[in-house]
Amino acid sequence: MDREQRRQFVRDHRICVFGYGRKEHGPAMTVVYYLMDGDDLLISTMADRGKTKAVSRDGRVSLCILDEKWPLGYIQVYGTAVVCDDRELATDVLAGVIGIMAGEEVPDSRRPQIEQMVDDEK
């Protein structure tokens, strides 16, 4: 695969294994959904989760982007993550992730409920 094919693979998929350095006991990994914003991958997580704390300490992360069909293909991505507490962006990302999980776009009428989730989960 060339560079553009790898970029397209990442754009075409939405599930990855998010790897990050823990404070103790070596690296950790968790499966998350992600959205694309240009070349940035956006994930939604709560402020009290290990991912958030680890990224705040050291933004170096690895992602294993998964193909959702068999035989399982994947691409590894390495980069620097940042924690963003912009409420509107967090609401947009959470709505997008909920839509991916539901298999359909989230209606605008659900936005107040999603905003409340963002506030509750920080």
Side-chain angles (χ1 to χ4, degrees), residues 21-106:
R22 295 185 334 168
K23 198 176 205 179
E24 298 178 15
H25 309 295
M29 296 177 288
T30 185
V31 175
V32 297
Y33 290 95
Y34 67 90
L35 305 177
M36 296 293 301
D37 181 21
D39 286 338
D40 293 333
L41 285 78
L42 308 176
I43 69 163
S44 177
T45 191
M46 294 178 255
D48 292 334
R49 295 286 184 175
K51 291 181 291 294
T52 307
K53 293 173 184 177
V55 166
S56 294
R57 280 192 311 273
D58 180 353
R60 294 177 296 171
V61 299
S62 61
L63 304 173
C64 182
I65 309 297
L66 302 174
D67 190 349
E68 291 109 42
K69 59 181 185 264
W70 193 257
L72 187 64
Y74 65 92
I75 297 261
Q76 291 181 320
V77 177
Y78 304 93
T80 304
V82 296
V83 175
C84 177
D85 60 3
D86 179 293
R87 184 176 186 259
E88 186 171 337
L89 177 59
T91 302
D92 291 344
V93 173
L94 183 55
V97 167
I98 290 170
I100 292 168
M101 294 170 72
E104 62 188 29
E105 193 170 320
V106 175

